Amino acid sequence: MGGGSTYTPELVDGFARLRDVLPLDELVLVDPAADRLELVGGLARRILARQGHGGRVVTTAGLDAGVDGADAVLLQLRVGGQAARAGDETWPLSCGCVGQETTGAGGLAKALRTVPVVLEIAERVRRRNPGAWIIDFTNPVGIVTRALLGAGHRAVGLCNVAIGLQRKFAGLLGLRPEELYLDHVGLNHLTWERAVRLGGPGGKDLLPSLLAAHGAALAADLRLPRSLLDRLGVVPSYYLRYFYLHDEVVAEQRDRPSRAAEVAAMEQELLAMYADPALAEKPALLARRGGAYYSEAAVTLAAALLGDGTGEIQVVNAANGGVLPFLPDDAVVEVPARVGPGGAVPLPVAPLEPLYAGLVAGVSAYEDLALDAALRGGRDRVVKALLAHPLIGRYGTAEALADRLIAHNREHLAWA
């Protein structure tokens, strides 16, 4: 779903390269934007052909036709397109808050637009093809996955932060990525790497030596102070920058074009490339689009869900089920899980330190309120969700942000 995305060729390249991991008979790209869909579909066919893959690519605007017979349904939606994203990244700044599409007020706006659409898609998948797995890449992944699981759907959420860091660490250490096991814990876009273990969960922790030798490079990549990494002794997700350096980020965002503007310009350039019938591989420009390694994570997740039941360990978004005992069982956490045909079962994790547990608890409570607002609507619920968010938490600011959120998203909010 969202097959006309300029990012789709990255996924297709993953399907082509990892054909032994996940044999693919047919890939159906579903998107209402017919012009984009045909450009992306044409390139997808050429990528598979160039790599000698026998899979068939079908394009359609029909959701029901797209999901009939599917083993897995991948969701990569952006309700409102880049224009809505541009709003998420700009109107919160007028209240002195971070403008970002997955956290803070902008993240709430995206959740309100997205959850009803995703649930409608999921219901149609269940009616047409109840055995299919739903793999959600759509942000905010934690809230969307919680909505899907709460409605009883066969769903797993996926983010690329963990696989990206695994590959970053492997490159710095001169190891193969599969040799490293990450003690990755938290919520979607709110995670920390507390250990980097060699060979598996019980292996030697390489994180102290990694930070000692490469802390400056890691800090620069995350755009966080080296002193913060040294003080914490962990590697935070780059999304923690919005929390740890909130005011600095707001000042930066006010002085430069939004990421949405950059991506919109990039997408036009990519679509022009995709129209070239001689292009039969993902262009280098696509690496700047974002979502590195999503294709590999998606293929391995789908293969595990559709596999023989041996159970692969992968970092996913799944129901807490007591793994973090200070959160409700139905909260969605992002941790290593054993994934098989029965779904994703999070592995036990060491108790989360208070410095991180407090923030996780606060954001999880916000996500609960955000989901309630997405499902039932109403300005009061929007204000409560904003008031609960650790990046906001002030009544006057929450009131002002709620008015801006509704004004900028009215066409996507049935209750408004």
Side-chain angles (χ1 to χ4, degrees), residues 32-308:
D35 51 345
R36 293 172 62 109
L37 185 60
E38 287 311 307
L39 290 177
V40 173
L43 177 56
R45 295 183 184 98
R46 296 193 297 273
I47 288 173
L48 292 183
R50 165 72 66 86
Q51 299 195 36
H53 194 293
R56 175 176 176 236
V57 176
V58 176
T59 58
T60 179
L63 175 61
D64 291 342
V67 302
D68 278 349
D71 294 297
V73 178
L74 282 60
L75 303 181
Q76 53 173 33
L77 310 177
R78 186 179 296 281
V79 179
Q82 292 297 334
R85 175 180 180 171
D88 296 343
E89 294 178 349
T90 52
W91 55 259
L93 297 174
S94 65
C95 295
C97 294
V98 161
Q100 216 279 325
E101 64 161 345
T102 65
T103 192
L108 176 60
K110 186 166 191 181
L112 297 181
R113 295 192 304 267
T114 304
V115 166
V117 174
V118 166
L119 289 180
E120 170 59 23
I121 290 171
E123 284 299 328
R124 292 172 68 177
V125 171
R126 180 154 53 191
R127 289 197 298 267
R128 305 284 299 201
N129 195 6
W133 277 102
I134 296 175
I135 298 175
D136 177 55
F137 309 155
T138 299
N139 283 317
V141 167
I143 296 173
V144 173
T145 303
R146 191 167 181 175
L148 288 165
L149 294 176
H153 296 291
R154 289 161 54 85
V156 180
L158 183 63
C159 182
N160 70 326
V161 167
I163 193 173
L165 286 172
Q166 181 197 44
R167 277 148 177 73
K168 168 71 71 174
F169 298 158
L172 293 173
L173 294 168
L175 298 170
R176 291 177 289 112
E178 56 269 23
E179 294 181 88
L180 298 180
Y181 176 90
L182 302 186
D183 179 4
H184 177 102
V185 62
L187 308 176
N188 180 240
H189 289 183
L190 194 82
T191 52
W192 299 265
E193 312 305 325
R194 297 186 298 176
V196 179
R197 300 197 179 276
L198 181 63
K204 178 183 178 182
D205 183 9
L206 304 178
L207 183 56
S209 58
L210 181 68
L211 286 172
H214 304 288
L218 290 169
D221 194 47
L222 297 169
R223 300 181 65 200
L224 290 169
R226 165 71 186 272
S227 60
L228 175 62
L229 270 64
D230 290 339
R231 184 179 298 275
L232 297 177
V234 304
V235 177
S237 154
Y238 55 84
Y239 287 93
L240 265 299
R241 187 169 188 268
Y242 300 116
F243 294 81
Y244 293 152
L245 299 178
H246 177 275
D247 294 350
E248 293 89 336
V249 171
V250 170
E252 290 173 5
Q253 290 181 333
R254 284 173 166 163
D255 290 340
R256 64 180 58 174
S258 68
R259 173 64 177 165
E262 296 175 359
V263 171
M266 201 180 304
E267 285 195 336
Q268 292 308 306
E269 190 173 351
L270 285 168
L271 289 171
M273 292 179 176
Y274 295 173
D276 179 0
L279 182 67
E281 60 186 7
K282 63 177 183 179
L285 177 62
L286 190 55
R288 291 168 44 204
R289 171 67 177 78
Y293 307 114
Y294 251 132
S295 60
E296 294 170 36
V299 170
T300 55
L301 176 56
L305 291 170
L306 304 174
D308 59 10

